[in-house]
Amino acid sequence: MSKWKWMMSAGAAAMMLAACGGGEEEAGTESGGSPEGETYKIGVTQIVEHPSLDNAYEGFKKGLEEAGVSAEFDEQIAQGDQNNNQTIAQNFVADGVDLIFANSTPSATAALNATKDIPIVFTSVTDPVAAGLVKDTEAPGGNVTGTVDLHPDAISNTVKFMAEEFDGKNVGIIYNAGEQNSVAQAEQLDTVLTENGLKMVPVTVSTSSEVKQAAESLIGKVDMFYIFTDNTVVSALESVIQVANDEDLPLFVGEKDSVARGGFAAYGFNYEDIGKEAGKMAAQILKGEAEAGELPVLPPQDLKLVINETAAAEMGVEVKEEWKQNAEIVK
């Protein structure tokens, strides 16, 4: 099956889920919600803290509340450390949580390594098949399902915009080669750049503290940056923004949250939205309406060009009027 074929067929499943709603730290109980006022215990594992992952977690809680599920959350951040990541998952299993919410590919992988019994719902995962989380996105099987953070057209649309609207050919990317989702995106990006007459100039990092040096190493070698949804790099995005501003290099990013932080442009979606969808899945599982492995993995549903006008000025990019007609403009 084509890598992205599942995303098109999964769209129909997304339409079957209820509309999104608001929420607080502890989700409330409504008609059709938690049976007899039951409050579920959910372990939340997140590889690092950055706005996209944080927004996905907020969306997850809102999705549960909209479904009328009452829950208590044990939130644990691994701070980018894989040993911490695995320990967190093992502790959730020992505590006997009702469900694990895994926010990132490394978090989901650690959770699945720790248990094949407790339901796992993930989000902020790019390629769950390549990561070994599910065998088939339409019928995951086992104890895991969730939502992904890569729209099938995000990279191709961004690269087309680069190729048609900018003169440079060399595109600098920074990513953690230890993150499966990043490796998958880098491979796809390399192919799409080549198809559009551009060249990828990659630098890999292991920790967020290496990101600024990596960005500086690309000065004089690249005409623009493209930072996709790599957790290590996005957690230190301000380091890349500083270099891009100082060197007048357009900085393309992988999602709207990074545009708001100072990236120039992205074909993006809201991480809160994919978190909400994951929350609705978790509600179905907790209420006994479905097993995790029965629920198709879902992609983002909306994709839009977003441009940060202030960032554009900092990077020496003039925002054209025709861009404004088709884009969401933020300052």
Side-chain angles (χ1 to χ4, degrees), residues 113-129:
N113 286 340
T115 180
K116 298 298 188 290
D117 299 313
I118 296 173
I120 300 166
V121 175
F122 60 74
T123 197
S124 311
V125 167
T126 298
D127 191 337
V129 175

Side-chain angles (χ1 to χ4, degrees), residues 118-298:
I118 296 173
I120 300 166
V121 175
F122 60 74
T123 197
S124 311
V125 167
T126 298
D127 191 337
V129 175
L133 296 172
V134 301
K135 294 180 179 179
D136 187 315
T137 53
E138 295 179 28
N143 62 320
V144 60
T145 190
T147 59
V148 299
D149 65 356
L150 182 61
H151 191 285
D153 298 326
I155 288 179
S156 59
N157 285 3
T158 301
V159 171
K160 184 178 179 181
F161 185 53
M162 290 176 177
E164 292 180 351
E165 301 293 344
F166 292 82
D167 294 331
K169 298 295 183 183
N170 296 321
V171 181
I173 71 165
I174 307 168
Y175 70 101
N176 183 347
E179 288 194 27
Q180 177 59 45
N181 63 311
S182 299
V183 173
Q185 289 184 85
E187 291 173 351
Q188 184 188 3
L189 177 60
D190 192 19
T191 298
V192 177
L193 285 169
T194 301
E195 292 172 349
N196 284 270
L198 304 179
K199 180 181 178 181
M200 185 172 81
V201 184
V203 177
T204 60
V205 297
S206 299
T207 66
S208 58
S209 63
E210 300 172 2
V211 172
K212 185 176 181 181
Q213 183 178 358
E216 291 173 338
S217 74
L218 291 169
I219 295 173
K221 301 176 183 177
V222 301
D223 304 298
M224 62 195 88
F225 289 109
Y226 185 13
I227 302 301
F228 47 67
T229 56
D230 177 282
N231 291 304
T232 302
V233 181
V234 173
S235 68
L237 185 65
E238 282 70 22
S239 298
V240 187
I241 292 170
Q242 180 181 339
V243 173
N245 289 346
D246 290 345
E247 300 298 324
D248 285 346
L249 294 171
L251 170 57
F252 295 86
V253 290
E255 24 68 36
K256 295 174 70 173
D257 294 320
S258 291
V259 176
R261 290 167 68 186
F264 159 55
Y267 275 90
F269 58 91
N270 292 319
Y271 266 70
E272 184 173 307
D273 291 342
I274 60 171
K276 284 179 182 177
E277 296 296 340
K280 294 178 218 172
M281 290 177 168
Q284 288 181 278
I285 294 164
L286 291 169
K287 291 193 289 185
E289 297 173 357
E291 298 289 333
E294 298 172 349
L295 297 174
V297 175
L298 299 177

